[in-house]
Amino acid sequence: MTEQEYRQTRFTRPQGATEILLVRHGESRAARVDEPFPLVDGQGDPELAPQGREQAELVRGPSECTSYRRSLCHQVAAYV
């Protein structure tokens, strides 16, 4: 008996579909008891770790900051 194969193909967006780009913030600095994060509305608001700054820099690169992505890039750029 021949085994059946079920392959997954790479997703391709249908013609005319809208592309939505979701970007989560870069890596935050590590939590430490002796260095608490500032609070915003009662929630910790740590700054980005060096790796997170690199991640944000990659996202906000000049080729990414065009048309509909511009607003998102400005928000990310505020961290860099």
Side-chain angles (χ1 to χ4, degrees):
M1 181 171 143
T2 309
E3 283 207 28
Q4 197 78 22
E5 274 191 354
Y6 300 95
R7 292 180 177 232
Q8 286 187 335
T9 58
R10 183 176 180 172
F11 175 79
T12 55
R13 187 179 46 193
Q15 184 175 1
T18 300
E19 178 183 23
I20 298 175
L21 176 66
L22 300 176
V23 177
R24 188 176 181 273
H25 62 76
E27 182 180 340
S28 300
R29 78 164 167 91
R32 294 182 51 158
V33 175
D34 59 333
E35 295 180 24
F37 301 135
L39 297 180
V40 173
D41 294 328
Q43 300 293 315
D45 187 28
E47 65 275 4
L48 294 177
Q51 300 89 337
R53 288 186 171 282
E54 290 174 21
Q55 294 162 351
E57 185 66 38
L58 289 171
V59 169
R60 79 168 188 128
S63 63
E64 294 295 324
C65 291
T66 58
S67 64
Y68 67 94
R69 294 182 182 177
R70 187 167 289 126
S71 174
L72 168 68
C73 292
H74 287 300
Q75 293 171 24
V76 172
Y79 286 102
V80 179

